[in-house]
Amino acid sequence: MAQIAQVLVDVPTMQTNDPYSYAIPDQLADQLQPGMRVTVPFGHRVVSGVVVGFTTSTQYEGQLKSIRAVLDLAPVLNPELQQLADWLAQTTYAFRITCIQTMLPNLLKASVERQIVPTNELTATERAVYFPDGAARDFDTSKLDTDTVAGLLKLRRAGKVTVTYQVKDKASVKTTPGITTSLAPQQLEDLKQSVATRAPKQAALLTYLQALPDHPVPQAKVAHAAGVSSAVIRGAETKGWLKRTPLEVYRDPFQQPVKPTTPLRLNAEQQAAVDAITTAVTQRQAKNFLVEGVTGSGKTEVYLQSIAVALQQGRSALMLVPEIALTPQMTNRVKARFGQRVAVLHSGLSKGEQYDEWRRIDRGEATVVVGARSAVFAPIQHLGLIIMDEEHESSYKQDENPRYHARDVALWRGKYHDCPVVLGSATPSLETRARAAKGLYTRLVLAHRINDRPLPTVHIIDMRAELKQHQGDDDFSAPLLTAIQDRLDRHEQVVLMLNRRGFSSFMMCRDCGFVLKCPNCDISLTYHVNPRVMKCHYCGHEEAVPTVCPNCRSRKIRYYGTGTQKVETALQKLLPTARILRMDVDSTRRKGAHEKLLNQFGQHDADILLGTQMIAKGLDFPNVTLVGVLNADTALGLPDFRASERTFQLLTQVSGRAGRAEKPGEVYIQTFNPDHYAIQLARTQDYERFFVTEMHMRHQGNYPPYYYAIQLTASHEDESVAAKAMYQILAAVKQGLSDQAIILGPTPKAIARVKRKYYYQVVIKYKHEPHLKAVLDQIRQGSQRAPRGLAVAIDAEPMNFM
DNA sequence: AGCACGCCGACT
DNA sequence: GTCGGCGTGCTC
């Protein structure tokens, strides 16, 4: 019986979330496999799709259409990744095709192009206006002006033009000319004798050709080895001495070769960690580890030696790092150990380079993969080990559909491959640490720094007292300024961090540090300009904007936030001789700018590096002996239950930047909340106590990890449409879920209007909701037929509650 | 996502 | 009377 292909079409809707059936033309029958991309007729156009299986019968009553073309020679999704895509769609409430697109490199995303073709029905004037060059033209409504689009649509309705569709596959393989020769060595020798005296270059080429291997050799290599120019080679080609054939090459993102390194000697803790991971790797256990190592405890060396074990076992390894940590220094460290076997996947590569790295992995040529979030989908086979460094980083969660967390995907793949997953962090997320406490992960603690380097001394500066004493600059306390001046005198370097996160305005008293909070949620209230009120983004509570501090009656209660530029100017005024380097979103927008700034600082072209969060991660300059945090509180004030956790993580990390090598480090943290546990415990780098304290807070507030959370967001240009949609969703949620579920909202988002759209949200906290999936699917169905421009998003375990 | 079908208001 | 607005429903 004839086979029917099941195809997921590239149309992300609820109705097309299940595969459609297509007949398979005879000439495609023996090449078609699940996991291949195809083009199919769909309605009155052609779209791309992915074959997910074959059947012999179908429910569909109508006449089946046939697959148009196959886009791939081999499947782009292996069976594991096909299964993963389905699981991803289930758990993130995203469309299956959207998940598949996310898993594939950008170049494999086929695009559909429309063309508009004139017919004989057109009048001469119409032809002159719309088809000046007489031929068909591209019909991209976003690129043409509205009048032209309207005109062309009108002509189509009149049947005077037709529209054609073309699916364009962007996947392109780069080639270079490859040299082969069909002449025998003796023939070449004869030729050489005949030209030897007058054409030494040709003779040299002929000598080289005599020793040419059977397979094609890149022309550049031939030219270099024989010492001839490409003109000589082209000349030889016309004489029939050699043939040039296209040779597939990889766009090589590794420019310069890296000096190889050998494994470093491990201390007892590191060795114990490597041993535990080794056992799991060699026994092929899907066992998960949490490597909890203070900054400077040598986690990376543990990762590298564990990867080496997997490779020895003939398996491959995946190492995930946050995008921001994916610097050449970082990747070079891996390449130095594993050389050619390493593939790097990240957004800094061109589309072509990404595709080539992906193919090297797919073909098993690269067995160590280093990359950011989306690298978790790399088509690696025989996985022996997955490592996720800085596991607590929120960038592992994608904030568009599918809203997946790379950690969950890593754990899924570990299970699939029976291989261990190692999560590493100095400050693990509460979720992860709690799971370790429950025994789901094995904890491997690295409590000692390499060579027992001391931790930096951390000073907490009470900015309330500071501001009382010296009027003038808000941003710099006297002790911090003195410390900076001291480093300048000693020709040492300083890192200053300005916490820009949550520039969103909350009210804080400059005299006592009091932050206005919601009486119901214990979350800071957010200042709204229009209407002028304080609002809680969790429960919707509203109150008037205070003019005096409810705590100390001071009038100095105002909203809080400052910018790097302003701080730079102020600092330059205070310290005219200091050379300051500013690093923020603005100064690093250009590609490579980030790198360049860090290199400058590394060469001591500047004394002070002033930046936002981005300087907290992984940079390591031995000459930095002072780290200052200008405003530790901004993140604390955010209306998010993870505010304390983020603050603790950030302060702990940035403190780790001070004092490397022989020079001891010092850290100054300026804060209006010197007694807050997140700040106090960051001072002593006491993660365990922070974990216990914060878990208690989460328990009190019914927050994760004690509860699961789902965030539903509706957005629309018209605020009332978004709000109305959210109230309808709320009704559906309330009706479908048990009264055990805690439903917060609807509330406007902290930043109520982004890109001309208003956002409203509802958060569901729950422990056990068997109907949840059904309720959310019902909401998804409902949002199909929503007013134009309304977007409803479902985010399981959201990272941003604002 | 597109696109057709179909039902209402403002124009040649 | 028709043109064109966009709400609704379908695509194997």
Side-chain angles (χ1 to χ4, degrees):
Chain A
M1 194 192 293
Q3 289 272 292
I4 295 167
Q6 297 193 288
V7 178
L8 278 179
V9 291
D10 185 10
V11 178
T13 67
M14 222 42 197
Q15 301 94 299
T16 51
N17 204 25
D18 287 318
Y20 274 39
S21 304
Y22 283 91
I24 305 168
D26 290 343
Q27 68 273 20
L28 300 181
D30 47 353
Q31 66 179 105
L32 199 64
Q33 292 172 51
M36 284 180 169
R37 296 173 307 145
V38 292
T39 57
V40 291
F42 185 72
H44 14 253
R45 61 207 167 110
V46 177
V47 297
S48 67
V50 176
V51 178
V52 292
F54 298 119
T55 56
T56 46
S57 66
T58 171
Q59 303 277 70
Y60 185 62
E61 310 268 298
Q63 176 71 40
L64 291 190
K65 293 183 179 175
S66 293
I67 289 177
R68 267 272 188 95
V70 183
L71 294 178
D72 300 305
L73 294 170
V76 292
L77 285 175
N78 63 34
E80 181 207 356
L81 295 181
Q82 289 174 46
Q83 236 175 285
L84 177 56
D86 285 348
W87 173 80
L88 202 62
Q90 288 281 319
T91 51
T92 65
Y93 307 97
F95 300 121
R96 291 168 73 182
I97 193 68
T98 312
C99 293
I100 289 174
Q101 305 277 29
T102 305
M103 294 167 62
L104 293 175
N106 267 320
L107 272 187
L108 292 182
K109 216 173 284 173
S111 64
V112 180
E113 283 182 2
R114 292 191 291 175
Q115 281 207 317
I116 205 145
V117 186
T119 69
N120 293 332
E121 307 285 310
L122 281 178
T123 65
T125 23
E126 286 164 345
R127 197 175 277 273
V129 172
Y130 292 107
F131 299 95
D133 45 6
R137 56 186 290 180
D138 289 343
F139 186 50
D140 183 346
T141 41
S142 63
K143 278 188 189 151
L144 299 169
D145 62 272
T146 43
D147 288 351
T148 314
V149 172
L152 287 169
L153 286 175
K154 197 170 172 180
L155 290 176
R156 190 183 56 178
R157 257 178 267 116
K160 291 179 172 181
V161 296
T162 54
V163 180
T164 61
Y165 300 84
Q166 265 147 343
V167 176
K168 249 183 86 181
D169 185 9
K170 285 174 284 183
S172 68
V173 172
K174 187 181 173 182
T175 61
T176 188
I179 306 294
T180 50
T181 181
S182 49
L183 301 181
Q186 190 51 52
Q187 292 174 288
L188 293 165
E189 183 60 32
D190 294 346
L191 287 167
K192 190 171 120 189
Q193 295 309 325
S194 68
V195 300
T197 45
R198 277 179 303 109
K201 287 295 180 190
Q202 292 183 27
L205 177 60
L206 287 163
T207 308
Y208 181 84
L209 289 177
Q210 287 175 37
L212 198 71
D214 285 342
H215 58 83
V217 177
Q219 176 177 320
K221 196 176 164 191
V222 174
H224 183 255
V228 303
S229 68
S230 60
V232 176
I233 292 176
R234 263 182 279 122
E237 186 188 17
T238 49
K239 292 192 190 95
W241 298 355
L242 55 83
K243 278 207 187 69
R244 297 202 302 170
T245 50
L247 184 63
E248 183 178 335
V249 289
Y250 295 123
R251 282 151 278 215
D252 189 0
F254 309 166
Q255 293 312 343
Q256 59 282 70
V258 186
K259 223 193 280 163
T261 59
T262 47
L264 305 176
R265 184 183 223 109
L266 301 178
N267 66 28
E269 284 175 340
Q270 288 175 307
Q271 189 61 56
V274 171
D275 289 347
I277 298 167
T278 300
T279 308
V281 170
T282 50
Q283 297 184 359
R284 305 235 180 125
Q285 294 175 302
K287 192 174 171 182
N288 304 318
F289 296 93
L290 168 58
V291 174
E292 218 178 293
V294 296
T295 42
S297 61
K299 284 194 295 289
T300 310
E301 190 58 32
V302 170
Y303 302 154
L304 293 178
Q305 296 199 18
S306 304
I307 291 172
V309 173
L311 295 180
Q312 280 155 25
Q313 300 280 316
R315 318 227 100 203
S316 38
L318 169 63
M319 179 164 161
L320 299 165
V321 296
E323 183 77 55
I324 197 160
L326 202 57
T327 58
Q329 287 98 307
M330 200 274 118
T331 54
N332 282 347
R333 219 176 139 184
V334 183
K335 285 179 213 156
R337 198 64 64 78
F338 304 112
Q340 290 298 307
R341 289 172 288 183
V342 179
V344 178
L345 287 174
H346 69 99
S347 57
L349 303 178
S350 74
K351 302 272 167 70
E353 286 167 346
Q354 285 177 24
Y355 176 48
D356 287 356
E357 289 292 83
W358 184 88
R359 281 187 301 146
R360 285 181 62 221
I361 299 163
D362 195 39
R363 295 171 175 182
E365 292 167 22
T367 48
V368 179
V369 178
V370 183
R373 182 179 61 225
S374 64
V376 79
F377 298 119
I380 315 171
Q381 294 178 34
H382 315 298
L383 257 177
L385 176 64
I386 304 175
I387 287 163
M388 178 180 256
D389 193 26
E390 307 289 344
E391 125 347 282
H392 62 276
E393 271 290 316
S394 60
S395 65
Y396 281 126
K397 176 81 192 269
Q398 176 151 297
D399 53 16
E400 58 188 60
N401 284 333
R403 296 169 198 273
Y404 70 94
H405 199 299
R407 189 203 293 135
D408 302 329
V409 179
L411 293 168
W412 186 96
R413 294 194 76 181
K415 226 174 183 176
Y416 183 94
H417 286 274
D418 288 318
C419 87
V421 177
V422 175
L423 307 174
S425 177
T427 53
S429 63
L430 275 248
E431 286 85 345
T432 294
R433 180 61 186 82
R435 298 184 88 180
K438 281 172 87 178
L440 278 98
Y441 307 146
T442 305
R443 269 179 91 208
L444 302 169
V445 180
L446 309 179
H448 295 91
R449 299 182 107 193
I450 301 284
N451 306 330
D452 282 313
R453 259 190 276 133
L455 283 169
T457 317
V458 181
H459 308 272
I460 301 209
I461 314 283
D462 183 350
M463 289 304 275
R464 300 170 301 187
E466 276 296 314
L467 285 187
K468 267 184 198 137
Q469 284 168 19
H470 78 115
Q471 296 288 61
D473 201 278
D474 283 6
D475 296 320
F476 297 95
S477 63
L480 177 58
L481 276 176
T482 313
I484 297 173
Q485 187 59 58
D486 177 53
R487 302 308 130 128
L488 294 178
D489 296 342
R490 290 187 348 220
H491 300 289
E492 291 172 0
Q493 288 174 292
V494 180
V495 167
L496 293 180
M497 188 182 75
L498 181 69
N499 200 349
R500 279 267 331 221
R501 203 193 167 83
F503 207 3
S504 113
S505 16
F506 62 97
M507 283 285 176
M508 192 179 71
C509 173
R510 299 263 163 153
D511 280 329
C512 72
F514 173 84
V515 173
L516 195 59
K517 285 188 172 174
C518 173
N520 311 320
C521 306
D522 203 31
I523 290 279
S524 18
L525 295 179
T526 304
Y527 177 71
H528 277 243
V529 186
N530 196 12
R532 226 176 92 89
V533 285
M534 303 302 299
K535 251 187 195 169
C536 171
H537 287 283
Y538 275 36
C539 70
H541 168 86
E542 278 186 24
E543 57 186 78
V545 179
T547 48
V548 293
C549 171
N551 189 42
C552 71
R553 316 308 301 164
S554 159
R555 294 196 152 271
K556 283 193 190 161
I557 185 162
R558 54 187 70 129
Y559 36 112
Y560 195 44
T562 186
T564 36
Q565 256 178 43
K566 189 185 138 223
V567 171
E568 185 188 13
T569 320
L571 184 61
Q572 196 71 78
K573 225 158 129 192
L574 291 163
L575 303 165
T577 59
R579 293 168 302 165
I580 304 170
L581 212 54
R582 180 166 58 88
M583 191 156 118
D584 55 21
V585 190
D586 292 331
S587 66
T588 55
R589 188 167 295 141
R590 277 204 342 275
K591 198 181 161 183
H594 189 258
E595 273 303 303
K596 212 174 133 193
L597 283 175
L598 289 181
N599 280 339
Q600 273 180 25
F601 191 63
Q603 288 159 19
H604 206 157
D605 288 345
D607 308 301
I608 300 172
L609 179 66
L610 168 67
T612 52
Q613 280 80 308
M614 62 177 79
I615 61 172
K617 322 277 183 214
L619 50 91
D620 189 2
F621 299 111
N623 203 32
V624 172
T625 56
L626 173 66
V627 167
V629 181
L630 300 183
N631 53 347
D633 313 86
T634 29
L636 268 188
L638 288 183
D640 194 312
F641 72 87
R642 274 188 255 261
S644 299
E645 181 180 354
R646 297 241 171 84
T647 300
F648 178 83
Q649 286 166 345
L650 192 64
L651 293 180
T652 306
Q653 261 174 20
V654 78
S655 299
R657 304 295 132 229
R660 295 265 157 164
E662 309 74 37
K663 297 173 183 168
E666 267 191 307
V667 179
Y668 283 75
I669 297 175
Q670 301 189 150
T671 173
F672 289 92
N673 295 284
D675 303 322
H676 193 284
Y677 64 97
I679 289 173
Q680 280 301 326
L681 295 173
R683 185 173 66 82
T684 47
Q685 306 242 333
D686 193 345
Y687 176 80
E688 273 310 298
R689 252 181 82 191
F690 175 77
F691 170 66
V692 172
T693 314
E694 183 64 15
M695 281 298 272
H696 182 68
M697 304 297 279
R698 301 283 179 92
H699 187 60
Q700 296 277 304
N702 298 332
Y703 287 120
Y706 291 96
Y707 273 78
Y708 299 111
I710 297 269
Q711 181 186 54
L712 295 158
T713 312
S715 60
H716 194 267
E717 284 194 13
D718 183 344
E719 184 169 8
S720 64
V721 175
K724 199 178 147 208
M726 213 61 249
Y727 277 98
Q728 280 169 2
I729 288 169
L730 177 72
V733 168
K734 275 197 172 145
Q735 215 219 327
L737 297 187
S738 76
D739 50 10
Q740 300 293 301
I742 303 170
I743 300 167
L744 308 172
T747 48
K749 284 219 166 201
I751 312 153
R753 205 163 89 124
V754 183
K755 290 182 190 159
R756 306 186 58 203
K757 280 193 161 190
Y758 288 90
Y759 290 81
Y760 273 76
Q761 69 172 27
V762 157
V763 172
I764 308 165
K765 296 191 289 185
Y766 67 99
K767 285 193 168 171
H768 250 332
E769 287 299 331
H771 300 306
L772 181 68
K773 176 105 179 93
V775 170
L776 294 177
D777 277 342
Q778 180 200 330
I779 290 168
R780 288 216 287 161
Q781 289 282 4
S783 64
Q784 286 290 159
R785 267 183 307 291
R788 267 185 200 287
L790 179 78
V792 176
I794 301 176
D795 192 351
E797 302 309 320
M799 291 307 275
N800 285 310
F801 259 52
M802 307 189 305

